[in-house]
Amino acid sequence: MSDSPSAPLTTADGVPLKVSLRRASRRMKLKALLLVSPLLAFLIIAFVMPIFDMLWRSVDNPEVSNALPRTVAALEHWDGASLPDEPVYAALAQDLKTGQEARNLGLVSSRLNYEKSGMRSAMMGTARRLSRIEPPYKAALIDANDAWGELDTWQLIERESSPYTLSYYLAAVDLQYTPAGEIVEVPDYLQIHLALFWRTFWMSGLITLLTLVLGYPIAFLLANLPARRANLLMILVLLPFWTSLLVRTTTWIAILQSQGVLNDMMVALGVVADEARWQMIHNKTGTIIAMTHILLPFMILPLYSVMKTIPPSYMRAARSLGGKPFLSFRRVYFPLTIPGIAAGGILVFILSIGYYITPALVGGQSGRFITNYIAYHMQTSLNWGLAAAIASILLAVVIVFYMVFNRLIGVDKVKLG
Amino acid sequence: MYNVMKQAAGRRSVGIKRASLTLVGLSALAAAVSAQAETLNIVSWGGAYSESQQKAYHEPWMEKTGDEIVNIDRSANGLAGLRAQTQAGNVTWDLVDMLPSDALIACAEGLIEPLDHDALLSAAPDGTPATEDFLAGSLGECFVPSIVYSNIVAFNTEMFPEDKQPSTIADVFDLENFPGKRTLMRKPINNLEWALVADGVAPEDVYDVLDTEEGVQRAFAKLDTIKDQVIWWQEGAQPPQLLADEEVAFGSAYNGRIFNAMLSEGQPFEIIWDAQVFELDGWVVPYGKLDKVKDYLTFATDTQRLADQARYISYGPARKSSSNMVSTHAETGIEMTPHMPTFPPNFATAIPKNDEFWADNNDELSRRFDAWLAM
């Protein structure tokens, strides 16, 4: 016989079986890749690239080096301990002049103004007056604006002339550079972001817990009632789920405000006095109530899908083996629902961290989330670098949270429906 | 077989040619039409203010030229929108209604067109050139003002006994004599000024005091006294709503919104003109859009149009020649002059908003204000 163990197996056309197999599987892989490529391209363009752009923006610092190239070059040999000499001032005057003509001083003056109040008018005002400024520039510029006579200003320009910066991340965690370049906490009256991160996390945690406490019995009922009544209950769960987020949020305003439905009813029933109406909206309470309601279906549905798969015979078996109802529930039923609790919990928690409209509308000041400050820095203060830094930190926290969750419970155990 | 295919191919190419000819014809036609009628995307503040613009100049312009004007209510984030559109390389806005402080920044960043005012704007009916007809110092390098408006505090008259109605800005900070919630704008601007005035600083000294650390502390300390009674608003439509619901007794607002609610909805509001903070509002042209909106801008800022606008909302026109023409409200016929921020009895203690101060200090004071709110 010719097929000794050392001779390779071949297909009918003489190609070794291994090669043929590899070819076939490569073809399969290629086909699969072709099928998912539209989605892959979409994900890369619409999701991955924007995220990297955001990460990039949080450290990107082109303003000073772009708008003040001569000044930055002239500052290279500066000792940093006393005011720079005439050539630096001359370079600055030249940079301001070109900047004024090219109309690109706005960005750099905003950038410097984030770090030191008054820099905007120092830059813009000096640039406007430039035609009347003559050498020697050092005296003339200091005369035009006091800021040019302060050591801090020059230390700031030198520090921010690097194309990358940590300033945004420092600001996002309530730290800052001193003029000399050390990292210190910002003054008490400016500390806000860390407190907001904490608030976002503990309130999201509380909301997750509340949805679990409220959702668990409902999901249990849904899974165990006869089909007809379960369907009715399901519709009651889904109807709000299909209603617009904005409608549900504003409805809570109508219900909870101090001249609202709930307060009116309680006053009419004599539960509270007319002057002592409860403040249930525009504060933490409002955010917690509204978001618990809005996120409830995200807890109920995964729980339901898990409970539906638990055969009723398990509980009967537990009971018949002598377990009291509570004990059998705790030892048999509850452990089987843990994947549902985990799925619902992670879903609600991560959604909740990113919530933005509801806290903005019903949260007042005390019920605001860190996301509201991302929006604020995107739209109002226009400090996109800071918004990107805060968003990156939030993203990192979500990823860490997910990894811990995966280690503890295992994502493969999670069922979403 | 081959022939048939060739024929078919030939026919198809004729078909394509014919189709493309039609396309060319159609697009030529479209170009001809669009030379006459354009769509202008105009960004403004929404609400009663946009309505006054709609009636005073959008509608007459559309009737005159056949252009279509699309109102976009995005001025509250106008600067952010312009920056984002410019960075994306796709500016869809043709004209933006903006505050002069934002216009200053947009201009310095090269987002908007510098304007040659006398060449662009029409002269007053008596021939005074535009640069002399607009209020002194109101024209910016890239900015054409259209109105003078005011930030005021109004109150709901039904929430105070008739013999004890508030009348000064200090009353807003007096919880003992004038109890009830207040709604203020969630920004340091105006609130810090008012806190200082209520604390005894003369309106003309406000910015000197605010320029010092002690002054800022003093203002925040005064705001502290009412902090737990304040609901903070962010959209101009909120304060009239909160006042009407009797959710608050006092509300800071734009004077035109309160006027509108009093007049068209019969709300029992009254304006406290003490220490009103007034400023301008007007037009800027996104970079590259000047040719498209030039004619419209000339039309919308001429003497007659600005005077017309004051018939719909109680904002003062930014042209001197229009001020004399302010008459009665278009629908109710009431005299508009006493409702204008610039009416002398209203104007006695007015504070002109200091744009330069806020350009420099807004970043830091906003952060400080936010931190103060969160504590």
Side-chain angles (χ1 to χ4, degrees):
Chain A
M1 298 294 271
S2 65
D3 47 339
S4 71
S6 62
L9 288 168
T10 57
T11 51
D13 50 1
V15 182
L17 191 57
K18 250 189 188 165
V19 177
S20 176
L21 195 68
R22 215 180 300 139
R23 236 181 246 161
S25 76
R26 198 182 316 135
R27 249 201 313 277
M28 291 283 280
K29 267 187 203 150
L30 217 68
K31 240 188 247 167
L33 198 69
L34 218 63
L35 279 173
V36 299
S37 62
L39 176 65
L40 205 63
F42 174 76
L43 275 182
I44 288 172
I45 292 168
F47 187 68
V48 178
M49 274 165 46
I51 285 182
F52 275 96
D53 190 45
M54 177 190 80
L55 292 172
W56 169 243
R57 231 177 235 286
S58 63
V59 292
D60 190 25
N61 190 35
E63 292 90 353
V64 174
S65 49
N66 279 357
L68 307 173
R70 296 182 193 86
T71 317
V72 170
L75 273 175
E76 224 156 72
H77 304 293
W78 176 51
D79 61 358
S82 57
L83 282 182
D85 298 326
E86 176 68 15
V88 176
Y89 283 90
L92 177 70
Q94 192 62 37
D95 278 335
L96 288 178
K97 195 162 175 237
T98 9
Q100 173 85 336
E101 278 156 16
R103 321 188 67 79
N104 64 6
L105 284 181
L107 281 176
V108 66
S109 57
S110 292
R111 177 71 188 90
L112 292 175
N113 205 62
Y114 293 144
E115 310 286 331
K116 184 173 189 286
S117 285
M119 284 310 291
R120 199 192 313 263
S121 67
M123 305 265 307
M124 305 309 297
T126 313
R128 265 197 299 277
R129 254 186 277 174
L130 216 54
S131 53
R132 277 178 279 137
I133 285 175
E134 281 163 14
Y137 287 110
K138 183 167 180 175
L141 286 177
I142 292 174
D143 187 44
N145 195 302
D146 294 342
W148 305 124
E150 289 163 20
L151 192 58
D152 296 2
T153 308
W154 294 102
Q155 287 172 333
L156 171 65
I157 291 178
E158 195 194 26
R159 193 181 69 232
E160 294 306 336
S161 63
S162 140
Y164 309 103
T165 182
L166 267 182
S167 307
Y168 295 126
Y169 277 102
L170 292 182
V173 291
D174 294 335
L175 299 172
Q176 67 181 10
Y177 284 114
T178 59
E182 290 159 48
I183 294 172
V184 294
E185 280 188 21
V186 298
D188 278 348
Y189 57 79
L190 287 179
Q191 291 190 7
I192 181 167
H193 294 124
L194 276 184
L196 274 162
F197 273 118
W198 277 123
R199 183 196 290 163
T200 307
F201 296 137
W202 79 254
M203 279 176 68
S204 297
L206 181 62
I207 289 163
T208 311
L209 199 70
L210 285 173
T211 52
L212 178 64
V213 170
L214 294 173
Y216 199 90
I218 305 283
F220 182 79
L221 266 182
L222 272 172
N224 291 296
L225 278 182
R228 194 193 317 192
R229 272 193 284 168
N231 282 346
L232 184 74
L233 208 58
M234 192 57 150
I235 286 176
L236 289 180
V237 172
L238 288 178
L239 216 55
F241 188 54
W242 291 330
T243 315
S244 142
L245 175 75
L246 214 55
V247 172
R248 277 184 288 166
T249 305
T250 38
T251 310
W252 278 112
I253 298 179
I255 295 173
L256 294 178
Q257 66 184 359
S258 62
Q259 303 292 327
V261 180
L262 198 58
N263 262 314
D264 280 351
M265 261 164 52
M266 290 197 300
V267 168
L269 293 174
V271 181
V272 293
D274 200 5
E275 311 81 57
R277 285 164 179 261
W278 290 359
Q279 181 72 35
M280 291 178 289
I281 200 111
H282 304 305
N283 56 19
K284 286 192 188 86
T285 322
T287 306
I288 291 171
I289 294 177
M291 282 183 60
T292 302
H293 173 235
I294 287 166
L295 292 171
L296 203 49
F298 292 99
M299 180 62 89
I300 294 177
L301 295 177
L303 275 176
Y304 166 75
S305 75
V306 168
M307 289 177 178
K308 198 73 187 160
T309 61
I310 303 173
S313 54
Y314 285 15
M315 273 297 268
R316 283 203 296 272
R319 298 292 304 278
S320 74
L321 287 172
K324 295 255 166 37
F326 180 73
L327 187 74
S328 347
F329 170 79
R330 196 170 64 84
R331 300 282 294 275
V332 177
Y333 196 79
F334 182 76
L336 288 169
T337 59
I338 282 181
I341 296 174
I346 193 170
L347 203 61
V348 171
F349 187 79
I350 289 180
L351 276 176
S352 168
I353 287 180
Y355 249 53
Y356 148 68
I357 294 177
T358 306
L361 286 176
V362 302
Q365 192 55 39
S366 65
R368 239 156 235 282
F369 279 12
I370 190 76
T371 39
N372 297 115
Y373 282 78
I374 299 176
Y376 168 76
H377 288 301
M378 286 301 294
Q379 298 178 339
T380 310
S381 77
L382 294 183
N383 193 344
W384 291 356
L386 180 54
I390 298 176
S392 306
I393 293 176
L394 205 56
L395 177 69
V397 169
V398 169
I399 291 173
V400 167
F401 176 78
Y402 178 82
M403 277 160 55
V404 169
F405 167 87
N406 190 18
R407 177 67 60 85
L408 290 181
I409 294 179
V411 172
D412 49 335
K413 288 215 188 78
V414 166
K415 292 179 197 158
L416 288 179
Chain B
M1 181 65 190
Y2 176 67
N3 272 343
V4 174
M5 273 175 70
K6 207 173 160 193
Q7 257 178 355
R11 214 176 292 140
R12 200 182 320 139
S13 80
V14 169
I16 288 169
K17 241 181 232 162
R18 200 177 293 149
S20 60
L21 271 179
T22 328
L23 256 181
V24 168
L26 269 178
S27 55
L29 198 69
V33 169
S34 72
Q36 291 158 2
E38 296 216 59
T39 301
L40 299 178
N41 295 318
I42 296 186
V43 180
S44 187
W45 296 90
Y49 180 59
S50 282
E51 214 166 290
S52 74
Q53 293 179 317
Q54 183 75 14
K55 288 185 178 142
Y57 26 85
H58 293 354
E59 277 168 12
W61 177 258
M62 288 193 276
E63 218 162 279
K64 195 174 146 193
T65 61
D67 284 0
E68 194 196 338
I69 289 178
V70 180
N71 280 300
I72 302 167
D73 300 342
R74 283 288 306 282
S75 278
N77 289 317
L79 186 54
L82 269 182
R83 231 193 223 177
Q85 293 189 6
T86 309
Q87 287 205 0
N90 180 22
V91 181
T92 56
W93 295 349
D94 298 318
L95 195 62
V96 183
D97 199 287
M98 207 178 238
L99 297 178
S101 48
D102 282 351
L104 215 64
I105 295 173
C107 196
E109 287 181 20
L111 301 175
I112 53 179
E113 294 269 0
L115 305 170
D116 180 356
H117 299 297
D118 273 331
L120 183 69
L121 305 172
S122 60
D126 63 0
T128 316
T131 35
E132 284 162 41
D133 192 34
F134 277 88
L135 299 178
S138 68
L139 287 164
E141 191 186 354
C142 306
F143 175 75
V144 184
S146 54
I147 57 154
V148 178
Y149 81 99
S150 189
N151 297 284
I152 45 82
V153 177
F155 61 97
N156 188 323
T157 53
E158 283 176 2
M159 296 185 72
F160 301 101
E162 258 170 53
D163 55 337
K164 207 176 173 189
Q165 303 268 328
S167 61
T168 67
I169 209 76
D171 295 343
V172 180
F173 290 80
D174 182 353
L175 292 175
E176 215 166 280
N177 291 315
F178 303 97
K181 294 246 180 234
R182 282 89 165 118
T183 184
L184 297 172
M185 192 176 189
R186 208 182 74 84
K187 270 186 180 179
I189 299 179
N190 305 331
N191 296 325
L192 295 184
E193 284 98 324
W194 284 329
L196 286 180
V197 172
D199 206 31
V201 176
E204 59 270 24
D205 300 334
V206 162
Y207 289 104
D208 290 338
V209 176
L210 215 47
D211 215 5
T212 63
E213 173 57 27
E214 298 79 49
V216 175
Q217 276 177 10
R218 187 173 165 189
F220 275 110
K222 188 69 183 174
L223 280 171
D224 260 336
T225 62
I226 56 167
K227 188 176 176 185
D228 58 353
Q229 292 294 313
V230 178
I231 296 171
W232 302 95
W233 62 266
Q234 283 183 292
E235 297 293 337
Q238 284 174 298
Q241 184 63 51
L242 288 165
L243 278 170
D245 289 350
E246 298 197 11
E247 195 74 10
V248 297
F250 291 99
S252 75
Y254 308 125
N255 70 301
R257 305 265 182 162
I258 296 296
F259 173 81
N260 198 60
M262 283 157 68
L263 204 67
S264 353
E265 292 156 29
Q267 296 291 349
F269 300 163
E270 200 167 301
I271 290 174
I272 299 173
W273 285 105
D274 185 35
Q276 56 154 313
V277 182
F278 74 94
E279 65 176 322
L280 298 153
D281 183 61
W283 299 115
V284 299
V285 183
Y287 196 77
K289 299 285 187 175
L290 189 55
D291 283 335
K292 191 175 175 191
V293 295
K294 206 191 252 169
D295 296 335
Y296 172 78
L297 189 57
T298 312
F299 174 81
T301 53
D302 72 11
T303 302
Q304 185 60 48
R305 251 42 69 182
L306 291 190
D308 283 352
Q309 189 174 8
R311 287 167 57 77
Y312 300 101
I313 198 158
S314 60
Y315 292 145
R319 268 179 181 252
K320 291 173 203 154
S321 57
S322 309
S323 302
N324 310 324
M325 296 165 68
V326 172
S327 57
T328 55
H329 189 255
E331 282 148 30
T332 59
I334 68 157
E335 196 62 44
M336 290 298 277
T337 319
H339 297 283
M340 292 293 174
T342 43
F343 182 56
N346 298 344
F347 206 63
T349 54
I351 305 170
K353 190 185 138 197
N354 187 333
D355 285 329
E356 198 174 335
F357 174 83
W358 282 113
D360 275 342
N361 296 293
N362 196 19
D363 292 331
E364 197 199 330
L365 288 179
S366 289
R367 275 171 66 197
R368 193 163 171 170
F369 183 77
D370 276 334
W372 172 79
L373 280 180
M375 269 190 277

